[in-house]
Amino acid sequence: MIIASNFKTNHNRQSTKEFMDFINGKDYFSEVRIFPPYTALNNYDLRPNIRQGVQNFYPVDSGSITGEIGFSQLEEFEIDSVLIGHSERRHVLGESQKEILKKFDFAKQKECEIVYCVGEPKEVREQGIEAVMSYIWDQFDGIDIDYEDLIVAYEPVWAIGTGLSASQEDIKEVLNMLRVKIKAPLLYGGSVKVANTKEILGIENCDGVLVGTASWDKDDFSKMIEIADNL
Ligand code: PGA
């Protein structure tokens, strides 16, 4: 199982270090990923099953891109996992599939683990499963789904940060359809919390969760990892 925490725009340097040290101090069995903000990246001696990743990057080693972070800056922190295609970047920041694809290909060429996020907005969900899958497959346009260091996260936009997780049936239906073409581990994300982690991890073809809000508390995040460990 893979249990991932996306800090988004939360935590500072000190609280991130406390979080990382706390999680790294535990002897979990599951794979753990933590995506802090850039400003809180640090050098840690992490256990082999725990990785520090980034929420974004600009697809260059270095260059003249004001305000962006390239790969040479990330290498200093031994970053070996990146989030690409998160709904907040697609929908709030207007990142296009073309830009997303550039990032994907760059990270792939760097042999970095990619957590690739897909998911439909509410108005597409309301049109039914065919519309949902057609929307999601469009988000794979150009993406090498056979990349060996790929993890796919299904995160319905309407379930992110709303407290309203998708139903078990909805999650199962989408994951089963993704599984037909995708061999990579499949995560679910969208209002995952301690109380629903067990039932979500029990869904067929669900290999883990990508958690925002409920993961920012280190004790809650730890509980979610323990739930995965005990499955
Ligand atoms: P959430 O966010 O857990 O706050 O819904 C999930 C995500 O955006 O990855």
Side-chain angles (χ1 to χ4, degrees), residues 6 8 86 88 155 159-161 190-192 210-213:
N6 176 6
K8 306 190 180 184
H86 190 277
E88 283 146 17
E155 301 201 301
I160 295 178
S191 297
V192 177
L210 174 56
V211 195
T213 317

Side-chain angles (χ1 to χ4, degrees), residues 54-100:
V54 285
Q55 302 171 23
N56 186 37
F57 62 96
Y58 197 82
V60 291
D61 277 312
S62 54
S64 301
I65 316 289
T66 301
E68 293 292 330
I69 301 285
F71 245 74
S72 63
Q73 286 93 59
L74 300 180
E75 277 157 5
E76 185 184 358
F77 301 105
E78 292 165 51
I79 296 301
D80 49 10
S81 187
V82 294
L83 282 182
I84 299 180
H86 190 277
S87 88
E88 283 146 17
R89 297 209 60 85
R90 290 182 192 266
H91 299 287
V92 181
L93 296 158
E95 216 168 88
S96 68
Q97 187 64 24
K98 209 169 140 206
E99 289 167 302
I100 287 168

Side-chain angles (χ1 to χ4, degrees), residues 53-158:
V54 285
Q55 302 171 23
N56 186 37
F57 62 96
Y58 197 82
V60 291
D61 277 312
S62 54
S64 301
I65 316 289
T66 301
E68 293 292 330
I69 301 285
F71 245 74
S72 63
Q73 286 93 59
L74 300 180
E75 277 157 5
E76 185 184 358
F77 301 105
E78 292 165 51
I79 296 301
D80 49 10
S81 187
V82 294
L83 282 182
I84 299 180
H86 190 277
S87 88
E88 283 146 17
R89 297 209 60 85
R90 290 182 192 266
H91 299 287
V92 181
L93 296 158
E95 216 168 88
S96 68
Q97 187 64 24
K98 209 169 140 206
E99 289 167 302
I100 287 168
L101 184 54
K102 262 193 206 154
K103 291 183 183 182
F104 189 98
D105 287 342
F106 194 89
K108 177 182 154 188
Q109 177 229 316
K110 292 288 180 188
E111 300 180 352
C112 185
E113 177 182 85
I114 298 172
V115 180
Y116 187 68
C117 306
V118 296
E120 82 288 357
K122 192 163 182 275
E123 60 274 17
V124 175
R125 166 56 64 180
E126 284 164 356
Q127 290 163 37
I129 188 65
E130 267 182 44
V132 168
M133 291 316 295
S134 151
Y135 188 93
I136 291 175
W137 287 124
D138 282 351
Q139 293 181 318
F140 282 103
D141 197 20
I143 298 295
D144 176 8
I145 56 171
D146 294 320
Y147 175 49
E148 60 178 20
D149 229 346
L150 174 65
I151 295 170
V152 169
Y154 168 54
E155 301 201 301
V157 179
W158 47 274

